[in-house]
Amino acid sequence: MARQVVDMDELVEHWTVLDEEQELLAGKRGATRLGFALLLKYYTRHGRFPRGRAEFGDEAVAFVARQVNVASTEIAFYEWSGRTIEYHRKQIRTHLGFRVCGVADADKLTDWLTTNVAHAERSADRVRQELLKHCFAERIEPPTADRLTRMVRSALSRAEEAWFSTIEARLSPELRERVLGLVEVEQAPETGAEDEDSESVLGQVKAMPGNISLESMLREIRKLQAIRSLGLPPTLFADVAPKVLASWRQRAAVESPSHLRRRSPASAVTLLSALLAEREHEVTDSLVDLLIATVHRIGARAERKVTNELINAFKRVTGKENLLFHIAEASVDAPDGPVRDVVFPAVAGGEQTLRELVHEYRTKGPLYRRTVQTTLKASYTNHYRRGLIELLQVLQFRSNNAAHRPVIEALELVERYAKAGNTTYYPLGEHIPAHRGTAGQWAEVVHRADKRGRNRTVRMVYEVATFQALREQLRCKEVWVAGSGRWRNPDEDLPADFEARRGEHYTELRKPRDPKAFTRALRQEMEAELGELNAALPGLEWVDITERKAGAIRFTAPEASPEPRNLRRIKGEVRRRWDGVPLIDMLKEAILRTGCLKQVTSVAGGTSLPPEVLAERLMLAIYGYGTNTGLRAVAGGTHGHTEEEIRYVRRRYLTPEAARQIAVEIANATFAARDSGLWGASSTAVASDSTHFRAWDQNLFTEWHSRYGGRGILVYWHVERGSVVVHSQTLRASASEVAAMVEGAIRHGTTMSVEGNYVDSHGQSEIGFGITRLLNVDLLPRIKQINRVRLYRPGTGQPDAYPNLAAAMTRPIRWDVIENNYDQVIKYATAIRSGTASTEAILSRFTRAASHPAYQAMLEIGRAQRTCFVARYLRERDLQREIEEGLNVVESWNAANAVIYYGKGGEISTNRREEVEMAALCLRILQASLVYVNTLMLQDVLAEPEWADKLTPADRRALTPLFWSHVRPYGEVNLDLGSRLDLGSGATKIPGSS
C-alpha cells in the first residue's frame, strides 16, 4: 500500500529538528542518530512512539536525514526493538515531560472519558481520538492498543449505564410499567406461544407509513395517539446528545421484544423510551408529509377529472377573427333578420361551429376554474375531509410571522365547526379570518349570497381553501408544527450560539466581519473576470456575443477526446490476470484489507458472534442488498449461512449509519492506497448527479418523476475525479438536487477536502452559486441554454464598460442588499455548515418565500458568482473540458449501477424507507469495493516497467479504476474468507479475530 505524500509545509511544521533538540543528538552516529531524531519528532507530534519504519513517509525520513547529516538509507539499520530504542524512548519522555501510563493514570483517564466524552458519543473511534488528545494534553504516553480499547469500552459502558439509571429515575413507577409493558409476552390465542409478529402496540410504533391515502393518514394518527397516550415527559431526553439518542432508538428498533425483555429494566425502559420519543417526531413528520401530499392530490385529481370530462367535447375552433367579421357583416346587412336565418348561414358549419366556440370559451375561461373548484370541494367533502379534520386534532400548528396568523386562526375555526353537521355557511357574526387562500380565484366560491341576499362564507369551500393555504405555508416553513423534526420551528434551524461565537463562525467560513470587505472582494473578482473575457473575446473562435433573438451568446462545446488506445490494452491485461472475478470476492477483498467492519460494532454496539461469522454474514447481506438479488438468493450459496441468520445480522448490525461508515472507510482506504506517481496529486473536486430507481409506491418516499416517466426515488451521488464515491443520498423525486449537492460537498465524511463540485444543468441556479460561495465550494456546472445567460454588471454608471459583452449584459448587482443582510446570510451559511439545519430546510424556506431579505442577499451573491463563473467558463477551454470530464466520471458511475444492481430488473421492491436507503448504501459499498480493488490491480500491472513506460500523458489523464469487464456479478454466491485475490500486501485480519 503506497504511503501518503507529505508536502513541504507539513515537513517544515512537524519535522524540523530544533536547536534544543540538536543537543539530544550529541554522541549519536549513523542509524542511531537518524532513528532517534525521527522518534523524537514523531513523539512530539503524536504523543506516542511509532510502531516501526512503516509509519514514516520517505519524504519525512529524507527531510530529517538532511538536518542531522546522515544518509536516509541508514534508517534501514535502526533496530525497532531492544535496549537501544528503550533507552531512546526514556530520553525522549524525559525531555518532553511525558510519563508512562500507570494503573492510577488509566483509572483517571477512564473516569475523565466517561464523564466528558462517552456520555455524548457512541463511536468508539471518536472516543479513542479524544482519549489520545487528552493523553497528549496531560503529558501521558498512551497505553498499548489493547489497553486503549479496554478503556474506551469501559468508558462507553459506564457512561451508558449512568444514562440508563438517570433516565429510569426520571420516570414514575407507573410510567416505567407502561413502557415495559410494550414488550410483555403476548400469547397466541390457540398455541399459547409468544407471537412476536402480531400487530402489537410496539409493532405499530415501529411500522413505517404507507402510501398517500386516507387510510395511511388515519393509521398514522392512531400511531401518534398511541405514543402520546403513554405520557412520556417532553423533556425526558433534553440533555442527551442527539447521536446517543439516535443510537438508542436504532437498537430498540432492531431488537426483538424477547431480547429487550432480557435486558435490565433500566436499559430496556431507556431504549424503549428513546424509540417512542424519536418515533413521535418521525410520525409527526409523516403526518405533515401526508397533509401536504393529500391536499396536492385533491387539487390535481380534481383538475384531471374535469379535464378528462371536457377533453372529448373540446374542439379548438380556428379562424375566430374571420368568423367575427362574417357575423358582423351579415348582421349589418340584415339587422332585423332572425339569427337562424342571418347569422348561422354566415359561419362555415353554421350553428354547430358557434356552439363549439362557446364551449371552448367556457372550458378555457372562468367557468372551467369554477368547475374544478366545485369538483375539488366534492372530493374533499366526500372522502378526504375525515382524515384532515382528525389531523387538526393531533397536530399543533404555529407561526412566527404575524402575517400568517390568519391561517392559524382559520384552522381553529375549521376545527371548532368540524362537527357542525350539514351547515352550509358559518353563522352570522362569527369572525371569519381572511387569508391568502380565500382571495383571488377562490373568492367568488368561498363567499356567496344566501337566499336573503346576505354575503356568507361557505363552510366546506372555506375549509378546502384553508388547507391549500396551509400546504403552501408549511412548505416554506412560515407555518411550523410543534413536536416535529423536519417541520419544526425554523428559528431552531439557526445556530443557538451564533451571537456568542460570531467571530469563530466567521473564521470557520473564512469570511471577513466587514460586509463591505466581502462585497469589495467579490466585486473586484467580477471586474477582473469580465475584463479578461472582454479583452479575449475577439480571439475566441468558440464563442461569439452579439444581439440575436435566440440569445446573445453563441457557444461551441469542445469536441470529445478519443479514448487512448493504451487504456484498452491495460484493461485487457487486468482481464487476462484476473478474469471472471466474482463481485462478492471484490467486496471480501476490500473489507479484509480495509478492516472497515469495525464500524459495524462501533455503531451497533458489541456482539457475541465470532468475528469471522459476523463478517461473512455482513458481506452476504451487503451483497444481497447491493445487487438487489435479495437475502434469500444469496443464502443459497456455498457458505453455510441460512437466510434467517443473514437477515438477523442485517437487522441487528447493518444499520444505515454502519453501512455509511463502511463506505467511507473504503473510500479513505482507496485514497491512502493510491500511488501518487501514477494517479497524480490528490483531487479536491467531485462530480455529482442523481440516478432514478423505480420503487414500490406503497410508501411516502416514492414519487412520480416527470423526467423519467415513472414512480421511484433518486439516489444522488458525489464521485471524486478518480471514481471514488465520497457521498450518497436517497431523495424523493421532488427533492432539491441543489440542496443535495451542497449537503454532499460539505458533509461527505471522508478524508478528502472538497473545494470544487462539477454538476449538470440542475446546479446552475443562482441560489446554488450563492450558497456554495459562502461555503467556499467552487460550483462548476454545465450550463443549460448558455445562449440565454445574462452577465450582471459589477457597478452602476458604467454603461460603456465591457463593450464586447454588451449584448449579454444586464443590470448591476445590488451590493447594498448583500451588505444590509450580510450577518443574517452568514448565520444561515453557518447553520448549513454546522448541521443545525439541512440545506433543503433552508432552501424550502427561501425559494417559496422569495421576498425573504436573506434570500434576496444570497441571490445577489449567486448572481455575482455565476457571472464570474460564466466569464471564466467562456474564456477557458481547459475549464470546459475539465467539467465535461468530471461529469463523464459520474455518468460512468451511473452506468455501473445497472451492471451491479441488476436484481428484479433494478426495481427497489420494498415499502420501508430504511430498506430503500440500505439498498442504495450497499450498492455504494459494492461499487466502492470495485474501485478499490481495481485501483490495486492497475497499480500491480503498471508497476512493471514495460507497462509503465507505455503510458502517455493522455493515458494518465484518462486512467480510471471504474471498469468491470473482468468482473462476474452473476451466478452462485460462494464466500470463503480463506481464498484471496493475488494483489500484493495490505490484507488485514477481521477485527476481533485471533
Side-chain angles (χ1 to χ4, degrees), residues 302-314 359 371 375:
E303 292 209 11
R304 187 164 62 248
K305 181 177 180 181
V306 173
T307 301
N308 290 338
E309 289 177 353
L310 298 177
I311 195 68
N312 293 330
F314 177 77
H359 182 71
T371 305
T375 307

Side-chain angles (χ1 to χ4, degrees), residues 30 42 117 125 188 251 362 392 399 518 587 632 780 796 805-806 868 939 955 968 977:
Y42 190 96
V117 179
D125 282 347
R251 284 157 63 184
R362 288 177 175 173
L392 290 181
S399 179
F518 174 80
L587 171 66
R632 180 171 301 173
L780 303 167
T796 58
L805 313 179
C868 294
Q939 290 181 177
D955 293 329
R968 177 165 54 85
L977 297 187

Side-chain angles (χ1 to χ4, degrees), residues 616 620 633-641 972-977:
E616 288 186 351
L620 293 170
V634 300
T638 56
H639 43 66
H641 303 288
E972 187 178 21
V973 180
N974 300 319
L975 181 61
D976 179 9
L977 297 187

Side-chain angles (χ1 to χ4, degrees), residues 221 224-225 228 287 389-396:
I221 290 173
L224 184 60
Q225 290 172 334
R228 290 178 176 175
L287 283 172
I389 293 298
E390 282 199 34
L391 191 144
L392 290 181
Q393 298 170 3
V394 296
L395 296 185
Q396 300 176 21

Side-chain angles (χ1 to χ4, degrees), residues 620-812:
L620 293 170
I622 291 170
Y623 186 83
Y625 274 86
T627 59
N628 203 31
T629 53
L631 302 187
R632 180 171 301 173
V634 300
T638 56
H639 43 66
H641 303 288
T642 66
E643 178 186 353
E644 290 74 17
E645 291 169 340
I646 301 171
R647 197 172 297 281
Y648 169 77
V649 164
R650 146 66 190 104
R651 187 181 71 248
R652 178 65 180 84
Y653 300 103
L654 191 60
T655 64
E657 178 60 25
R660 195 173 290 111
Q661 289 300 318
I662 290 173
V664 166
E665 288 293 317
I666 295 176
N668 290 339
T670 307
F671 295 142
R674 280 181 181 165
D675 182 349
S676 59
L678 177 62
W679 303 98
S682 300
S683 173
T684 59
V686 294
S688 56
D689 198 8
S690 62
T691 309
H692 182 263
F693 289 87
R694 290 179 294 114
W696 287 4
D697 62 355
Q698 297 302 306
N699 60 84
L700 281 174
F701 202 60
T702 301
E703 291 179 341
W704 177 272
H705 199 293
S706 57
R707 182 174 47 168
Y708 295 101
R711 300 187 68 84
I713 58 100
L714 296 178
V715 178
Y716 196 85
W717 309 101
H718 279 72
V719 186
E720 179 258 356
R721 288 289 302 273
S723 300
V724 176
V725 60
V726 299
H727 195 260
S728 65
Q729 301 164 77
T730 309
L731 308 174
R732 286 187 172 93
S734 60
S736 167
E737 293 195 32
V738 172
M741 177 267 296
V742 174
E743 285 287 308
I746 65 175
R747 262 189 281 281
H748 51 88
T750 69
T751 57
M752 180 184 179
S753 175
V754 176
E755 299 176 3
N757 202 147
Y758 310 109
V759 291
D760 215 333
S761 54
H762 68 263
Q764 64 181 344
S765 68
E766 292 169 343
I767 190 65
F769 274 102
I771 291 177
T772 51
R773 172 77 186 205
L774 292 167
L775 296 171
N776 306 302
V777 176
D778 194 9
L779 182 59
L780 303 167
R782 177 163 51 194
I783 301 290
K784 184 179 181 181
Q785 294 183 334
I786 196 170
N787 56 308
R788 299 187 180 276
V789 170
R790 309 295 287 180
L791 302 173
Y792 285 81
R793 294 184 179 275
T796 58
Q798 298 177 323
D800 298 328
Y802 319 112
N804 293 328
L805 313 179
M809 300 295 285
T810 184
R811 69 166 177 85

Side-chain angles (χ1 to χ4, degrees), residues 238-312:
D239 54 347
V240 179
K243 59 180 66 176
V244 174
L245 186 60
S247 71
W248 291 345
R249 175 243 187 267
Q250 182 62 36
R251 284 157 63 184
V254 301
E255 288 192 6
S256 63
S258 60
H259 287 158
L260 288 167
R261 285 196 298 271
R262 288 197 290 268
R263 286 183 168 274
S264 67
S267 64
V269 77
T270 300
L271 295 182
L272 287 169
S273 298
L275 174 64
L276 293 169
E278 290 291 280
R279 286 295 290 148
E280 183 175 0
H281 296 317
E282 293 167 6
V283 173
T284 303
D285 285 340
S286 297
L287 283 172
V288 178
D289 291 335
L290 281 167
L291 185 153
I292 292 173
T294 300
V295 173
H296 170 72
R297 173 172 286 191
I298 295 172
R301 285 187 171 181
E303 292 209 11
R304 187 164 62 248
K305 181 177 180 181
V306 173
T307 301
N308 290 338
E309 289 177 353
L310 298 177
I311 195 68
N312 293 330

Side-chain angles (χ1 to χ4, degrees), residues 587 591-592 597 609-622 641 649 975 977 990-991:
L587 171 66
I591 285 177
L592 294 180
L597 289 188
L609 288 173
E612 293 84 358
V613 173
L614 177 62
E616 288 186 351
R617 293 177 185 175
L618 285 170
M619 291 180 199
L620 293 170
I622 291 170
H641 303 288
V649 164
L975 181 61
L977 297 187
I990 297 296

